[in-house]
Amino acid sequence: MGYIKVKSEKKEKFTTISNIFIDRYMPEANGEFVKLYIYLIRLLQDNIGATVSSIADKMSCQEKDVCRGIKYWISKGILDLKYDKAEDTYSITLLKLEEEETETSYESDDYLMNIIAFQKNEKKTAAKKESAEKENIEVAPVASVSPAISPVVKKNPSKKRLTQNQLNLKLQDPELMDLRDEAEAYFQRELAQEDMNSLIYIHDELHFSFDLCEYLLEYCGEIKKTDSKFYEKVAINWYENEITTRAEAKEFTLRYFNLYGKILEKLGIQWHSINVKEKSFINKWTTTLLFDNAIILKACEVAIVNSPSKATFNYVDGILTKWHAAGVKTLKDVDSYQSSTVSNVINVDTTKKRNINSFKQTDHSDDLKMIEDLYMDEVKEN
């Protein structure tokens, strides 16, 4: 597809949006909150006054949604709200946006350093083995650095069922009240008691920080999976993998959840939380074999075609291990490898048929005559 160029036929008034907002803040934010921020800039640039009610009418939402949006942007440090008691007015200040100093994606920081360390150790081990083979010396393997999150699984605490009175008492906690408001904003619905039970369990029993809870709600809201059972399962999965910060949750989501979901879809497996064995396979494919997502998903397709009933992570691992040994690095390499494999199979089959046809055929006519005579003698006797 070619590049898209945007043009305008008329010299109309435009609202200018900061590139920093678009690049840094917009991708993570709820769509309704983004709409609110853009509308506030519109009011600022034309010096138009407004009320919470008028903004809610303009945005086709409720007043509490406007308040939540303002609160969200204040928490992100890009809005400031002040109340002038004398004039009974509120003033919203759009604060200066700062460039992000460091990348937050999993492709940098600790993740990348771990990958580099892991690959260095792999090369070091291979070099030692090669040297030892020449001298016939047995070498102990070098301890490898884990390329990602520790595979040790922590058992999650049991969930307590709260009565309505207990629930009401819990909701006196300002942080839980804020999380309820955040959840309703991201899910665009009011929370039921079951939702609140799950949210309290995540906050109190799994001990998620407010920031981690907020990211969990953002993530589930963005992918339109807002059922309490779903976001509770996601939270338990993060807990079991010892995820404690927003940055770790982002890394885990990017590295595992997105690829993992596509793998399950390709293999026709019902969605479930990623387990240690499946995660170790993904670690191997992405950090040891160094395959990109396209190659991994192609292997899933091949697994389904070859053996629909046995298309598992283990089966895919066998395919990718063979591809790696054959030097496969791109989808074009996959096609070449598959073609050569099919060609070899055809040649083998042809050879087998040729050999079968070259066998000397044995004459069994005497044996058949003997069996026929015996059968006829038995008929005569009866």
Side-chain angles (χ1 to χ4, degrees):
M1 183 180 290
Y3 289 102
I4 298 174
K5 292 184 178 180
V6 182
K7 298 180 180 180
S8 175
E9 292 182 350
K10 299 179 181 179
K11 292 184 178 180
E12 301 168 350
K13 288 186 177 180
F14 289 95
T15 297
T16 306
I17 308 296
S18 165
N19 288 338
I20 299 174
F21 174 79
I22 295 172
D23 296 339
R24 179 178 177 184
Y25 296 95
M26 189 176 75
E28 297 180 355
N30 178 284
E32 295 300 316
F33 295 169
V34 173
K35 284 165 58 179
L36 171 66
Y37 186 81
I38 293 172
Y39 188 63
L40 290 176
I41 294 176
R42 164 83 174 88
L43 296 176
L44 170 71
Q45 292 188 355
D46 277 3
N47 196 25
I48 302 172
T51 64
V52 171
S53 177
S54 66
I55 294 173
D57 289 341
K58 189 71 175 178
M59 306 299 293
S60 299
C61 64
Q62 298 181 9
E63 291 183 18
K64 64 179 182 179
D65 295 328
V66 175
C67 295
R68 286 174 191 155
I70 293 171
K71 185 177 178 181
Y72 173 81
W73 292 122
I74 290 172
S75 72
K76 295 298 179 183
I78 66 174
L79 281 190
D80 185 38
L81 178 68
K82 290 183 180 179
Y83 176 62
D84 188 334
K85 191 174 181 180
E87 297 183 9
D88 192 27
T89 58
Y90 289 93
S91 63
I92 294 176
T93 304
L94 304 182
L95 302 178
K96 183 180 178 182
L97 303 183
E98 300 292 341
E99 290 278 7
E100 197 166 14
E101 293 181 2
T102 58
E103 293 288 333
T104 57
S105 72
Y106 70 91
E107 293 178 351
S108 59
D109 303 334
D110 294 339
Y111 174 81
L112 184 56
M113 295 306 296
N114 282 339
I115 294 298
I116 293 169
F118 179 76
Q119 291 173 353
K120 281 182 178 178
N121 277 325
E122 288 288 301
K123 289 178 181 178
K124 191 175 180 181
T125 303
K128 283 196 173 185
K129 282 183 178 178
E130 186 178 350
S131 176
E133 284 172 0
K134 291 178 181 178
E135 300 176 12
N136 293 322
I137 300 173
E138 187 175 347
V139 179
V142 178
S144 64
V145 178
S146 172
I149 304 167
S150 169
V152 177
V153 175
K154 184 168 61 173
K155 188 177 180 181
N156 57 290
S158 57
K159 182 181 178 182
K160 298 174 184 177
R161 304 291 299 181
L162 301 178
T163 64
Q164 187 61 51
N165 288 335
Q166 290 173 324
L167 187 63
N168 292 336
L169 287 172
K170 286 285 185 182
L171 286 176
Q172 293 179 12
D173 181 344
E175 194 163 280
L176 280 171
M177 290 178 68
D178 286 344
L179 282 176
R180 180 194 61 187
D181 293 343
E182 294 276 0
E184 289 184 347
Y186 287 122
F187 298 169
Q188 298 183 3
R189 63 177 176 82
E190 291 188 5
L191 298 192
Q193 183 170 339
E194 190 60 38
D195 292 302
M196 286 308 306
N197 278 329
S198 294
L199 201 55
I200 291 168
Y201 169 68
I202 293 166
H203 182 269
D204 290 359
E205 302 300 327
L206 301 186
H207 302 293
F208 275 28
S209 65
F210 182 88
D211 194 41
L212 186 56
C213 285
E214 186 179 52
Y215 180 68
L216 172 69
L217 299 173
E218 285 181 30
Y219 173 72
C220 294
E222 287 297 324
I223 63 174
K224 309 297 181 185
K225 296 282 188 179
T226 62
D227 181 80
S228 61
K229 291 181 180 178
F230 181 85
Y231 62 78
E232 186 178 311
K233 280 184 179 179
V234 173
I236 289 171
N237 197 233
W238 290 2
Y239 177 86
E240 289 175 343
N241 284 281
E242 300 184 337
I243 291 170
T244 58
T245 67
R246 175 186 283 259
E248 290 173 348
K250 279 186 178 182
E251 186 271 331
F252 186 79
T253 301
L254 286 168
R255 184 159 182 237
Y256 293 104
F257 265 46
N258 294 342
L259 174 59
Y260 181 64
K262 290 176 182 176
I263 290 172
L264 294 184
E265 184 180 355
K266 290 284 185 184
L267 297 179
I269 300 173
Q270 187 174 3
W271 190 92
H272 58 272
S273 296
I274 186 171
N275 58 46
V276 175
K277 188 174 182 181
E278 291 168 337
K279 195 170 74 170
S280 69
F281 276 129
I282 294 177
N283 273 340
K284 176 185 174 182
W285 302 338
T286 57
T287 63
T288 304
L289 304 185
L290 298 177
F291 283 131
D292 59 26
N293 290 5
I295 301 288
I296 294 170
L297 296 176
K298 181 66 176 179
C300 294
E301 292 176 7
V302 172
I304 284 290
V305 171
N306 289 352
S307 183
S309 61
K310 296 180 182 178
T312 62
F313 274 73
N314 196 53
Y315 192 91
V316 173
D317 182 61
I319 293 171
L320 289 171
T321 301
K322 286 181 181 178
W323 289 358
H324 182 262
V328 169
K329 293 181 180 179
T330 65
L331 288 175
K332 191 174 180 180
D333 293 340
V334 172
D335 293 336
S336 299
Y337 177 80
Q338 293 292 94
S339 299
S340 64
T341 304
V342 171
S343 177
N344 289 337
V345 170
I346 291 171
N347 291 335
V348 169
D349 287 346
T350 305
T351 304
K352 284 182 178 178
K353 288 178 182 178
R354 195 182 299 118
N355 291 337
I356 290 170
N357 292 333
S358 66
F359 287 158
K360 184 177 180 181
Q361 199 161 7
T362 305
D363 186 2
H364 296 287
S365 57
D366 290 341
D367 295 336
L368 292 171
K369 182 69 170 65
M370 184 177 67
I371 293 169
E372 184 181 345
D373 290 343
L374 287 172
Y375 175 74
M376 292 304 293
D377 287 343
E378 187 178 348
V379 171
K380 288 175 182 178
E381 289 176 3
N382 293 332

